[in-house]
Amino acid sequence: MARPELILAYEPVAACESRLLAEGYSAAATAEIASYLAQSTDLAPEFDAIADACGRRGIRFVPVELDAARSVLAARNPGHCLVWTLTDGIAYFRGSAIPALARLGGHPVLGSDDAVFALCQDKFRSGAVLGALGMPVPNAGLCRDGAWIPAPPPAPLGYFVKPNRLGAKIGIWPDSRCQDLAEAEALSRRVFAAYRDDVVVQPYVPGRDVRASFLAVDPLADVERLGIFFVDSGGDFQTMADSLALYGDTGAAARASNTYAEPELIPVARSQPVADRRIREIASQLMRGLGLRDVFSMDFRVEADDTVHLIEFEVCPGLPCFDFRGYCLREWGLGLADAMAETAACRFAC
């Protein structure tokens, strides 16, 4: 009988860069956009460790670049494999096609429904759906090259501006928190010129950044296995420069020169147990109502009075990132390679 296979599909940075340059993006914008795929760069040196961890559990590990995924899946027996999507995207990146491709071939997938992969990459639309589900999301506007589609509500504390399809960090500058709509329009024009993207304009919400991570190593795991941590990076919000310093080639260079510094992970329950419980309730609602499962992350702002603001969710969290590694170790007592292998082994056992 053939050994079961864990197929990890990912989009490499170089492939994305080549495509964006061919589409006319500037070299600077291309480098920033493609850096969001840094987890594929960061995880590649650990493929041998993941293969070893899988091998000890009777599983063959097969990392597959995105452009080869169609032929690889076509040659696989759906009854003997499990597909795990490492990098997603619907605009600048293409990884969200993998769950749909797997479904087309009848291959089982680890993670949420393929529709959710596309939804979470459009921050305005996902925010609208989250609002309809009663989630505590800031009421956002959408602006395209300075033109409103619609405008956001009044905001006494000003606004926060971010690209709509590039996540919460890409292209965000230190002045991305602004005071009025005229400044937001100007930021929209800057983003459109650099990235050809709309911007989500949200009322600024105070508080500390919180990351909630989830991996169902045990298929029966529920929100009690969610890891909820303050992520204090030293600033009010993380900029593009902050993100680049942590991941990919820049992060590797910082580690080599001993200048790498990770934000501290502090359990929310330690100081704000009420907020911790509220976040678990939100995650439970989204697992039931939105179809989040297996592996995901959520970003929040939490105020001192335990007010919780849901900012966004991701179905392809950065597995090799410091926060997800910390979660696997603290919650499951496993390094990343063993956590991935054990998750796959439990699925095959089921």
Side-chain angles (χ1 to χ4, degrees):
M1 182 175 178
R3 274 202 303 170
E5 294 182 322
L6 172 61
I7 298 174
L8 184 75
Y10 65 97
E11 184 170 9
V13 169
C16 176
E17 287 179 332
S18 297
R19 185 167 46 82
L20 292 178
L21 288 171
E23 292 176 6
Y25 285 86
S26 71
T30 292
E32 289 186 338
I33 292 169
S35 74
Y36 220 56
L37 298 173
Q39 64 169 310
S40 64
T41 301
D42 292 341
L43 193 60
E46 299 182 62
F47 284 168
D48 287 345
I50 299 170
D52 288 344
C54 286
R56 293 194 301 273
R57 295 164 172 84
I59 300 169
R60 180 169 177 252
F61 176 61
V62 185
V64 178
E65 293 190 8
L66 179 68
D67 291 319
R70 179 164 50 185
S71 59
V72 169
L73 289 178
R76 258 53 184 192
N77 182 335
H80 294 154
C81 69
L82 176 67
V83 180
W84 192 331
T85 305
L86 176 65
T87 52
D88 54 15
I90 57 170
Y92 309 89
F93 322 120
R94 300 166 295 149
S96 291
I98 293 298
L101 181 63
R103 183 161 64 89
L104 184 65
H107 298 83
V109 175
L110 185 96
S112 303
D113 293 337
D114 48 304
V116 183
F117 275 76
L119 178 65
C120 76
Q121 290 298 301
D122 188 310
K123 302 306 178 187
F124 183 74
R125 290 177 181 173
S126 65
V129 172
L130 292 172
L133 289 171
M135 298 295 99
V137 292
N139 292 321
L142 189 70
C143 195
R144 179 175 302 153
D145 198 16
W148 293 104
I149 313 173
L157 298 179
Y159 297 95
F160 189 68
V161 180
K162 64 183 180 182
N164 185 43
R165 297 175 300 170
L166 283 174
K169 303 176 184 67
I170 291 290
I172 289 184
W173 304 288
D175 61 351
S176 288
R177 179 187 174 186
C178 60
Q179 294 304 311
D180 55 43
L181 294 183
E183 290 181 54
E185 291 166 7
L187 283 166
S188 168
R189 286 188 284 270
R190 284 171 59 189
V191 168
F192 193 85
Y195 311 113
R196 308 177 195 173
D197 200 8
D198 303 339
V199 294
V200 174
V201 182
Q202 299 171 326
Y204 172 81
V205 293
R208 297 168 67 186
D209 289 333
V210 168
R211 169 64 56 82
S213 300
F214 183 78
L215 177 64
V217 175
D218 177 350
L220 298 180
D222 60 16
V223 293
E224 294 309 314
R225 304 310 295 263
L226 199 69
I228 306 173
F229 302 98
F230 288 115
V231 185
D232 293 327
S233 58
D236 184 33
F237 56 87
Q238 197 174 47
T239 65
M240 179 60 177
D242 296 330
S243 180
L244 286 173
L246 290 171
Y247 314 117
D249 293 337
T250 306
R255 281 187 286 270
S257 62
N258 293 320
T259 59
Y260 178 78
E262 294 177 351
E264 187 178 4
L265 294 177
I266 305 169
V268 171
R270 185 180 298 170
S271 59
Q272 295 187 244
V274 173
D276 177 273
R277 179 48 51 190
R278 176 60 180 137
I279 289 171
R280 294 182 195 277
E281 291 171 353
I282 290 169
S284 179
Q285 289 176 277
L286 292 185
M287 291 174 78
R288 293 196 309 271
L290 197 61
L292 294 186
R293 64 172 180 259
D294 295 337
V295 56
F296 59 85
S297 66
M298 309 170 76
D299 289 307
F300 297 86
R301 294 278 271 188
V302 174
E303 299 188 47
D305 66 356
D306 293 319
T307 299
V308 171
H309 306 273
L310 173 59
I311 304 302
E312 65 177 21
F313 68 93
E314 295 290 346
V315 293
C316 281
L319 300 184
C321 297
F322 72 94
D323 56 291
F324 201 85
R325 290 181 189 275
Y327 160 70
C328 290
L329 193 59
R330 295 190 194 196
E331 184 59 44
W332 294 102
L334 297 170
L336 181 60
D338 279 306
M340 294 176 67
E342 186 64 19
T343 300
C346 289
R347 294 308 185 281
F348 286 121
C350 290

